[in-house]
Amino acid sequence: MTDLTRSELARDPLRVARCLLGSELWSTSPEGEVGVRLVEVEAYRGGDDPASHCYRGRTARNSVMFGPAGHLYVYFVYGMHFCINVVCSQDGVPGAVLLRAGEVLSGAALARNRRPAVRKDTALASGPARLAGVLGITREHNGTDLVAGDSSLRLFRGAEVGDEEVRSGPRVGVSTATELPWRSWVHGSPAVSSYRRGGRRRVRDGV
């Protein structure tokens, strides 16, 4: 497998989001290894994106989003779920791509053990919380370098996804900038999550 490079990720989140479709994220832990193919993502910018965690500037919580690119930004929502994002843009410019869904390529048994309530294998990593769960990602992984050779989480280039396979639409669960079609997915993948319109109760879904 070939690594994605930091320079490829140090670009506008919309470009990186497209690049990440079809790429692979692998997690290695004492429990074993799980690999997923990414099939659904959402792009988030900074000061010009009111749905972004960085819209109002840098905080202790969102500082990872300011770079360098290629690191993992992890946050906790609803008191129960972790969401994972690939940091992008130039160093000092906030931006990230939320990883929304993936297809499990390897480590299905471990993935099932981590998400025992999921009935279908195609749904094991469908949705941000399930994706983080099957990979065993928690708050302690915030800031992990995804392109470092010795990292427990590695981001690799996958099989190319053609433009004809990609669809786009509004981001899920955000209450602002709802008109922006910054969610992208691989059409036909059974792992793509369901769309939900945003509102007051979902204001924290954005990155």
Side-chain angles (χ1 to χ4, degrees), residues 161-193:
V161 176
D163 290 341
E164 71 281 0
E165 301 176 73
V166 177
R167 300 291 185 273
S168 61
R171 293 175 291 190
V172 175
V174 297
S175 60
T176 56
T178 57
E179 76 286 355
L180 297 176
W182 289 1
R183 169 179 170 248
S184 302
W185 65 93
V186 178
H187 180 63
S189 170
V192 172
S193 65

PDB file of all heavy atoms in Angstrom, residues 161-193:
ATOM      1  N   VAL A 161     -11.295   6.166  -7.365  1.00  0.00           N
ATOM      2  CA  VAL A 161     -12.742   6.285  -7.519  1.00  0.00           C
ATOM      3  C   VAL A 161     -13.012   7.284  -8.639  1.00  0.00           C
ATOM      4  O   VAL A 161     -12.603   8.445  -8.559  1.00  0.00           O
ATOM      5  CB  VAL A 161     -13.408   6.761  -6.214  1.00  0.00           C
ATOM      6  CG1 VAL A 161     -14.905   6.985  -6.421  1.00  0.00           C
ATOM      7  CG2 VAL A 161     -13.177   5.753  -5.100  1.00  0.00           C
ATOM      8  N   GLY A 162     -13.675   6.836  -9.693  1.00  0.00           N
ATOM      9  CA  GLY A 162     -13.953   7.703 -10.833  1.00  0.00           C
ATOM     10  C   GLY A 162     -14.980   8.768 -10.516  1.00  0.00           C
ATOM     11  O   GLY A 162     -15.834   8.590  -9.639  1.00  0.00           O
ATOM     12  N   ASP A 163     -14.916   9.889 -11.224  1.00  0.00           N
ATOM     13  CA  ASP A 163     -15.869  10.977 -10.997  1.00  0.00           C
ATOM     14  C   ASP A 163     -17.308  10.522 -11.178  1.00  0.00           C
ATOM     15  O   ASP A 163     -18.214  11.031 -10.504  1.00  0.00           O
ATOM     16  CB  ASP A 163     -15.573  12.139 -11.956  1.00  0.00           C
ATOM     17  CG  ASP A 163     -14.281  12.865 -11.624  1.00  0.00           C
ATOM     18  OD1 ASP A 163     -13.803  12.716 -10.482  1.00  0.00           O
ATOM     19  OD2 ASP A 163     -13.763  13.576 -12.503  1.00  0.00           O
ATOM     20  N   GLU A 164     -17.524   9.564 -12.070  1.00  0.00           N
ATOM     21  CA  GLU A 164     -18.884   9.090 -12.310  1.00  0.00           C
ATOM     22  C   GLU A 164     -19.444   8.313 -11.127  1.00  0.00           C
ATOM     23  O   GLU A 164     -20.667   8.109 -11.039  1.00  0.00           O
ATOM     24  CB  GLU A 164     -18.923   8.214 -13.566  1.00  0.00           C
ATOM     25  CG  GLU A 164     -18.259   6.845 -13.453  1.00  0.00           C
ATOM     26  CD  GLU A 164     -16.740   6.884 -13.575  1.00  0.00           C
ATOM     27  OE1 GLU A 164     -16.184   7.996 -13.758  1.00  0.00           O
ATOM     28  OE2 GLU A 164     -16.114   5.808 -13.481  1.00  0.00           O
ATOM     29  N   GLU A 165     -18.587   7.912 -10.194  1.00  0.00           N
ATOM     30  CA  GLU A 165     -19.027   7.165  -9.014  1.00  0.00           C
ATOM     31  C   GLU A 165     -19.321   8.055  -7.816  1.00  0.00           C
ATOM     32  O   GLU A 165     -19.832   7.578  -6.797  1.00  0.00           O
ATOM     33  CB  GLU A 165     -17.947   6.152  -8.602  1.00  0.00           C
ATOM     34  CG  GLU A 165     -17.578   5.137  -9.650  1.00  0.00           C
ATOM     35  CD  GLU A 165     -16.438   4.263  -9.179  1.00  0.00           C
ATOM     36  OE1 GLU A 165     -16.680   3.401  -8.305  1.00  0.00           O
ATOM     37  OE2 GLU A 165     -15.304   4.459  -9.654  1.00  0.00           O
ATOM     38  N   VAL A 166     -18.995   9.346  -7.936  1.00  0.00           N
ATOM     39  CA  VAL A 166     -19.089  10.252  -6.789  1.00  0.00           C
ATOM     40  C   VAL A 166     -20.369  11.079  -6.849  1.00  0.00           C
ATOM     41  O   VAL A 166     -20.753  11.583  -7.904  1.00  0.00           O
ATOM     42  CB  VAL A 166     -17.865  11.184  -6.741  1.00  0.00           C
ATOM     43  CG1 VAL A 166     -17.988  12.182  -5.590  1.00  0.00           C
ATOM     44  CG2 VAL A 166     -16.589  10.371  -6.611  1.00  0.00           C
ATOM     45  N   ARG A 167     -21.001  11.205  -5.705  1.00  0.00           N
ATOM     46  CA  ARG A 167     -22.166  12.066  -5.554  1.00  0.00           C
ATOM     47  C   ARG A 167     -21.875  13.072  -4.446  1.00  0.00           C
ATOM     48  O   ARG A 167     -21.027  12.835  -3.579  1.00  0.00           O
ATOM     49  CB  ARG A 167     -23.416  11.259  -5.193  1.00  0.00           C
ATOM     50  CG  ARG A 167     -23.797  10.211  -6.216  1.00  0.00           C
ATOM     51  CD  ARG A 167     -24.303  10.828  -7.512  1.00  0.00           C
ATOM     52  NE  ARG A 167     -24.772   9.797  -8.433  1.00  0.00           N
ATOM     53  CZ  ARG A 167     -24.014   9.146  -9.300  1.00  0.00           C
ATOM     54  NH1 ARG A 167     -22.703   9.408  -9.353  1.00  0.00           N
ATOM     55  NH2 ARG A 167     -24.532   8.239 -10.109  1.00  0.00           N
ATOM     56  N   SER A 168     -22.587  14.193  -4.449  1.00  0.00           N
ATOM     57  CA  SER A 168     -22.388  15.197  -3.411  1.00  0.00           C
ATOM     58  C   SER A 168     -23.727  15.792  -2.999  1.00  0.00           C
ATOM     59  O   SER A 168     -24.715  15.731  -3.744  1.00  0.00           O
ATOM     60  CB  SER A 168     -21.451  16.304  -3.900  1.00  0.00           C
ATOM     61  OG  SER A 168     -22.003  16.955  -5.034  1.00  0.00           O
ATOM     62  N   GLY A 169     -23.746  16.356  -1.787  1.00  0.00           N
ATOM     63  CA  GLY A 169     -24.970  16.944  -1.269  1.00  0.00           C
ATOM     64  C   GLY A 169     -24.684  17.669   0.029  1.00  0.00           C
ATOM     65  O   GLY A 169     -23.527  17.798   0.452  1.00  0.00           O
ATOM     66  N   PRO A 170     -25.728  18.137   0.718  1.00  0.00           N
ATOM     67  CA  PRO A 170     -25.545  18.880   1.970  1.00  0.00           C
ATOM     68  C   PRO A 170     -24.926  18.007   3.061  1.00  0.00           C
ATOM     69  O   PRO A 170     -25.098  16.789   3.081  1.00  0.00           O
ATOM     70  CB  PRO A 170     -26.977  19.285   2.353  1.00  0.00           C
ATOM     71  CG  PRO A 170     -27.774  19.144   1.107  1.00  0.00           C
ATOM     72  CD  PRO A 170     -27.143  18.041   0.329  1.00  0.00           C
ATOM     73  N   ARG A 171     -24.217  18.659   3.962  1.00  0.00           N
ATOM     74  CA  ARG A 171     -23.644  17.947   5.094  1.00  0.00           C
ATOM     75  C   ARG A 171     -24.739  17.520   6.071  1.00  0.00           C
ATOM     76  O   ARG A 171     -25.787  18.150   6.164  1.00  0.00           O
ATOM     77  CB  ARG A 171     -22.599  18.838   5.781  1.00  0.00           C
ATOM     78  CG  ARG A 171     -21.392  19.091   4.898  1.00  0.00           C
ATOM     79  CD  ARG A 171     -20.414  20.073   5.513  1.00  0.00           C
ATOM     80  NE  ARG A 171     -20.954  21.426   5.558  1.00  0.00           N
ATOM     81  CZ  ARG A 171     -20.234  22.499   5.866  1.00  0.00           C
ATOM     82  NH1 ARG A 171     -18.942  22.370   6.159  1.00  0.00           N
ATOM     83  NH2 ARG A 171     -20.787  23.702   5.889  1.00  0.00           N
ATOM     84  N   VAL A 172     -24.468  16.456   6.781  1.00  0.00           N
ATOM     85  CA  VAL A 172     -25.466  15.853   7.664  1.00  0.00           C
ATOM     86  C   VAL A 172     -25.484  16.547   9.024  1.00  0.00           C
ATOM     87  O   VAL A 172     -24.433  16.764   9.629  1.00  0.00           O
ATOM     88  CB  VAL A 172     -25.171  14.349   7.856  1.00  0.00           C
ATOM     89  CG1 VAL A 172     -26.147  13.737   8.870  1.00  0.00           C
ATOM     90  CG2 VAL A 172     -25.256  13.616   6.531  1.00  0.00           C
ATOM     91  N   GLY A 173     -26.685  16.869   9.493  1.00  0.00           N
ATOM     92  CA  GLY A 173     -26.864  17.294  10.871  1.00  0.00           C
ATOM     93  C   GLY A 173     -26.388  18.676  11.236  1.00  0.00           C
ATOM     94  O   GLY A 173     -26.405  19.016  12.415  1.00  0.00           O
ATOM     95  N   VAL A 174     -25.948  19.494  10.269  1.00  0.00           N
ATOM     96  CA  VAL A 174     -25.504  20.843  10.617  1.00  0.00           C
ATOM     97  C   VAL A 174     -26.698  21.794  10.586  1.00  0.00           C
ATOM     98  O   VAL A 174     -27.650  21.598   9.830  1.00  0.00           O
ATOM     99  CB  VAL A 174     -24.393  21.340   9.663  1.00  0.00           C
ATOM    100  CG1 VAL A 174     -23.163  20.467   9.781  1.00  0.00           C
ATOM    101  CG2 VAL A 174     -24.875  21.386   8.215  1.00  0.00           C
ATOM    102  N   SER A 175     -26.630  22.842  11.397  1.00  0.00           N
ATOM    103  CA  SER A 175     -27.740  23.791  11.481  1.00  0.00           C
ATOM    104  C   SER A 175     -27.446  25.087  10.739  1.00  0.00           C
ATOM    105  O   SER A 175     -28.318  25.938  10.611  1.00  0.00           O
ATOM    106  CB  SER A 175     -28.060  24.093  12.947  1.00  0.00           C
ATOM    107  OG  SER A 175     -26.934  24.653  13.601  1.00  0.00           O
ATOM    108  N   THR A 176     -26.207  25.255  10.255  1.00  0.00           N
ATOM    109  CA  THR A 176     -25.827  26.432   9.483  1.00  0.00           C
ATOM    110  C   THR A 176     -25.106  25.984   8.218  1.00  0.00           C
ATOM    111  O   THR A 176     -24.606  24.865   8.135  1.00  0.00           O
ATOM    112  CB  THR A 176     -24.903  27.351  10.293  1.00  0.00           C
ATOM    113  OG1 THR A 176     -23.762  26.592  10.737  1.00  0.00           O
ATOM    114  CG2 THR A 176     -25.622  27.923  11.506  1.00  0.00           C
ATOM    115  N   ALA A 177     -25.046  26.881   7.225  1.00  0.00           N
ATOM    116  CA  ALA A 177     -24.426  26.549   5.932  1.00  0.00           C
ATOM    117  C   ALA A 177     -25.015  25.256   5.373  1.00  0.00           C
ATOM    118  O   ALA A 177     -24.302  24.433   4.788  1.00  0.00           O
ATOM    119  CB  ALA A 177     -22.910  26.443   6.079  1.00  0.00           C
ATOM    120  N   THR A 178     -26.313  25.101   5.547  1.00  0.00           N
ATOM    121  CA  THR A 178     -26.977  23.861   5.137  1.00  0.00           C
ATOM    122  C   THR A 178     -27.080  23.712   3.626  1.00  0.00           C
ATOM    123  O   THR A 178     -27.352  22.615   3.136  1.00  0.00           O
ATOM    124  CB  THR A 178     -28.393  23.795   5.739  1.00  0.00           C
ATOM    125  OG1 THR A 178     -29.127  24.967   5.330  1.00  0.00           O
ATOM    126  CG2 THR A 178     -28.331  23.765   7.262  1.00  0.00           C
ATOM    127  N   GLU A 179     -26.854  24.808   2.900  1.00  0.00           N
ATOM    128  CA  GLU A 179     -26.986  24.754   1.447  1.00  0.00           C
ATOM    129  C   GLU A 179     -25.724  24.249   0.748  1.00  0.00           C
ATOM    130  O   GLU A 179     -25.760  23.920  -0.448  1.00  0.00           O
ATOM    131  CB  GLU A 179     -27.346  26.142   0.910  1.00  0.00           C
ATOM    132  CG  GLU A 179     -26.191  27.147   0.853  1.00  0.00           C
ATOM    133  CD  GLU A 179     -25.776  27.686   2.222  1.00  0.00           C
ATOM    134  OE1 GLU A 179     -26.433  27.363   3.235  1.00  0.00           O
ATOM    135  OE2 GLU A 179     -24.786  28.448   2.277  1.00  0.00           O
ATOM    136  N   LEU A 180     -24.621  24.174   1.460  1.00  0.00           N
ATOM    137  CA  LEU A 180     -23.354  23.804   0.823  1.00  0.00           C
ATOM    138  C   LEU A 180     -23.281  22.300   0.562  1.00  0.00           C
ATOM    139  O   LEU A 180     -23.437  21.503   1.491  1.00  0.00           O
ATOM    140  CB  LEU A 180     -22.179  24.224   1.713  1.00  0.00           C
ATOM    141  CG  LEU A 180     -22.030  25.722   1.957  1.00  0.00           C
ATOM    142  CD1 LEU A 180     -20.894  25.996   2.932  1.00  0.00           C
ATOM    143  CD2 LEU A 180     -21.799  26.467   0.646  1.00  0.00           C
ATOM    144  N   PRO A 181     -23.006  21.907  -0.667  1.00  0.00           N
ATOM    145  CA  PRO A 181     -22.936  20.464  -1.000  1.00  0.00           C
ATOM    146  C   PRO A 181     -21.561  19.885  -0.723  1.00  0.00           C
ATOM    147  O   PRO A 181     -20.886  19.362  -1.611  1.00  0.00           O
ATOM    148  CB  PRO A 181     -23.266  20.457  -2.497  1.00  0.00           C
ATOM    149  CG  PRO A 181     -22.669  21.742  -2.995  1.00  0.00           C
ATOM    150  CD  PRO A 181     -22.863  22.750  -1.868  1.00  0.00           C
ATOM    151  N   TRP A 182     -21.129  19.945   0.524  1.00  0.00           N
ATOM    152  CA  TRP A 182     -19.764  19.569   0.888  1.00  0.00           C
ATOM    153  C   TRP A 182     -19.665  18.170   1.473  1.00  0.00           C
ATOM    154  O   TRP A 182     -18.646  17.804   2.049  1.00  0.00           O
ATOM    155  CB  TRP A 182     -19.172  20.602   1.838  1.00  0.00           C
ATOM    156  CG  TRP A 182     -18.875  21.910   1.153  1.00  0.00           C
ATOM    157  CD1 TRP A 182     -19.107  22.220  -0.156  1.00  0.00           C
ATOM    158  CD2 TRP A 182     -18.269  23.065   1.736  1.00  0.00           C
ATOM    159  NE1 TRP A 182     -18.691  23.501  -0.434  1.00  0.00           N
ATOM    160  CE2 TRP A 182     -18.178  24.043   0.713  1.00  0.00           C
ATOM    161  CE3 TRP A 182     -17.812  23.375   3.020  1.00  0.00           C
ATOM    162  CZ2 TRP A 182     -17.639  25.311   0.943  1.00  0.00           C
ATOM    163  CZ3 TRP A 182     -17.271  24.632   3.255  1.00  0.00           C
ATOM    164  CH2 TRP A 182     -17.181  25.583   2.226  1.00  0.00           C
ATOM    165  N   ARG A 183     -20.702  17.399   1.341  1.00  0.00           N
ATOM    166  CA  ARG A 183     -20.658  15.967   1.671  1.00  0.00           C
ATOM    167  C   ARG A 183     -20.503  15.201   0.366  1.00  0.00           C
ATOM    168  O   ARG A 183     -21.220  15.469  -0.600  1.00  0.00           O
ATOM    169  CB  ARG A 183     -21.939  15.552   2.391  1.00  0.00           C
ATOM    170  CG  ARG A 183     -22.133  14.045   2.559  1.00  0.00           C
ATOM    171  CD  ARG A 183     -23.442  13.776   3.327  1.00  0.00           C
ATOM    172  NE  ARG A 183     -23.804  12.369   3.316  1.00  0.00           N
ATOM    173  CZ  ARG A 183     -24.861  11.858   2.671  1.00  0.00           C
ATOM    174  NH1 ARG A 183     -25.672  12.654   1.983  1.00  0.00           N
ATOM    175  NH2 ARG A 183     -25.105  10.570   2.714  1.00  0.00           N
ATOM    176  N   SER A 184     -19.569  14.268   0.333  1.00  0.00           N
ATOM    177  CA  SER A 184     -19.333  13.462  -0.863  1.00  0.00           C
ATOM    178  C   SER A 184     -19.341  11.992  -0.495  1.00  0.00           C
ATOM    179  O   SER A 184     -18.920  11.613   0.597  1.00  0.00           O
ATOM    180  CB  SER A 184     -17.975  13.821  -1.490  1.00  0.00           C
ATOM    181  OG  SER A 184     -17.909  15.189  -1.815  1.00  0.00           O
ATOM    182  N   TRP A 185     -19.822  11.166  -1.427  1.00  0.00           N
ATOM    183  CA  TRP A 185     -19.870   9.732  -1.157  1.00  0.00           C
ATOM    184  C   TRP A 185     -19.736   8.924  -2.434  1.00  0.00           C
ATOM    185  O   TRP A 185     -19.911   9.446  -3.546  1.00  0.00           O
ATOM    186  CB  TRP A 185     -21.149   9.364  -0.417  1.00  0.00           C
ATOM    187  CG  TRP A 185     -22.430   9.582  -1.185  1.00  0.00           C
ATOM    188  CD1 TRP A 185     -23.102   8.670  -1.962  1.00  0.00           C
ATOM    189  CD2 TRP A 185     -23.214  10.793  -1.248  1.00  0.00           C
ATOM    190  NE1 TRP A 185     -24.239   9.226  -2.497  1.00  0.00           N
ATOM    191  CE2 TRP A 185     -24.344  10.516  -2.068  1.00  0.00           C
ATOM    192  CE3 TRP A 185     -23.086  12.062  -0.691  1.00  0.00           C
ATOM    193  CZ2 TRP A 185     -25.311  11.482  -2.342  1.00  0.00           C
ATOM    194  CZ3 TRP A 185     -24.050  13.025  -0.964  1.00  0.00           C
ATOM    195  CH2 TRP A 185     -25.146  12.720  -1.779  1.00  0.00           C
ATOM    196  N   VAL A 186     -19.394   7.658  -2.251  1.00  0.00           N
ATOM    197  CA  VAL A 186     -19.275   6.734  -3.380  1.00  0.00           C
ATOM    198  C   VAL A 186     -20.654   6.145  -3.646  1.00  0.00           C
ATOM    199  O   VAL A 186     -21.205   5.408  -2.817  1.00  0.00           O
ATOM    200  CB  VAL A 186     -18.258   5.622  -3.075  1.00  0.00           C
ATOM    201  CG1 VAL A 186     -18.196   4.634  -4.247  1.00  0.00           C
ATOM    202  CG2 VAL A 186     -16.882   6.213  -2.802  1.00  0.00           C
ATOM    203  N   HIS A 187     -21.197   6.481  -4.784  1.00  0.00           N
ATOM    204  CA  HIS A 187     -22.542   6.040  -5.135  1.00  0.00           C
ATOM    205  C   HIS A 187     -22.603   4.508  -5.224  1.00  0.00           C
ATOM    206  O   HIS A 187     -21.750   3.865  -5.822  1.00  0.00           O
ATOM    207  CB  HIS A 187     -22.945   6.639  -6.487  1.00  0.00           C
ATOM    208  CG  HIS A 187     -24.316   6.251  -6.936  1.00  0.00           C
ATOM    209  ND1 HIS A 187     -25.450   6.589  -6.252  1.00  0.00           N
ATOM    210  CD2 HIS A 187     -24.723   5.539  -8.019  1.00  0.00           C
ATOM    211  CE1 HIS A 187     -26.505   6.117  -6.875  1.00  0.00           C
ATOM    212  NE2 HIS A 187     -26.089   5.478  -7.945  1.00  0.00           N
ATOM    213  N   GLY A 188     -23.604   3.940  -4.591  1.00  0.00           N
ATOM    214  CA  GLY A 188     -23.798   2.497  -4.643  1.00  0.00           C
ATOM    215  C   GLY A 188     -23.171   1.734  -3.503  1.00  0.00           C
ATOM    216  O   GLY A 188     -23.447   0.544  -3.333  1.00  0.00           O
ATOM    217  N   SER A 189     -22.326   2.385  -2.692  1.00  0.00           N
ATOM    218  CA  SER A 189     -21.734   1.679  -1.563  1.00  0.00           C
ATOM    219  C   SER A 189     -22.794   1.466  -0.480  1.00  0.00           C
ATOM    220  O   SER A 189     -23.455   2.426  -0.054  1.00  0.00           O
ATOM    221  CB  SER A 189     -20.570   2.474  -0.965  1.00  0.00           C
ATOM    222  OG  SER A 189     -20.154   1.886   0.258  1.00  0.00           O
ATOM    223  N   PRO A 190     -22.965   0.252   0.005  1.00  0.00           N
ATOM    224  CA  PRO A 190     -23.962  -0.010   1.043  1.00  0.00           C
ATOM    225  C   PRO A 190     -23.593   0.572   2.396  1.00  0.00           C
ATOM    226  O   PRO A 190     -24.422   0.602   3.306  1.00  0.00           O
ATOM    227  CB  PRO A 190     -24.015  -1.538   1.090  1.00  0.00           C
ATOM    228  CG  PRO A 190     -22.664  -1.980   0.627  1.00  0.00           C
ATOM    229  CD  PRO A 190     -22.263  -0.979  -0.426  1.00  0.00           C
ATOM    230  N   ALA A 191     -22.354   1.030   2.529  1.00  0.00           N
ATOM    231  CA  ALA A 191     -21.910   1.575   3.807  1.00  0.00           C
ATOM    232  C   ALA A 191     -22.232   3.055   3.978  1.00  0.00           C
ATOM    233  O   ALA A 191     -22.117   3.588   5.085  1.00  0.00           O
ATOM    234  CB  ALA A 191     -20.404   1.365   3.968  1.00  0.00           C
ATOM    235  N   VAL A 192     -22.637   3.734   2.907  1.00  0.00           N
ATOM    236  CA  VAL A 192     -22.946   5.163   3.001  1.00  0.00           C
ATOM    237  C   VAL A 192     -24.096   5.366   3.983  1.00  0.00           C
ATOM    238  O   VAL A 192     -25.092   4.646   3.951  1.00  0.00           O
ATOM    239  CB  VAL A 192     -23.298   5.739   1.622  1.00  0.00           C
ATOM    240  CG1 VAL A 192     -23.804   7.175   1.734  1.00  0.00           C
ATOM    241  CG2 VAL A 192     -22.073   5.683   0.708  1.00  0.00           C
ATOM    242  N   SER A 193     -23.962   6.347   4.866  1.00  0.00           N
ATOM    243  CA  SER A 193     -24.952   6.567   5.910  1.00  0.00           C
ATOM    244  C   SER A 193     -26.165   7.326   5.379  1.00  0.00           C
ATOM    245  O   SER A 193     -26.138   7.898   4.284  1.00  0.00           O
ATOM    246  CB  SER A 193     -24.326   7.346   7.071  1.00  0.00           C
ATOM    247  OG  SER A 193     -23.952   8.649   6.650  1.00  0.00           O
TER     248      SER A 193
END
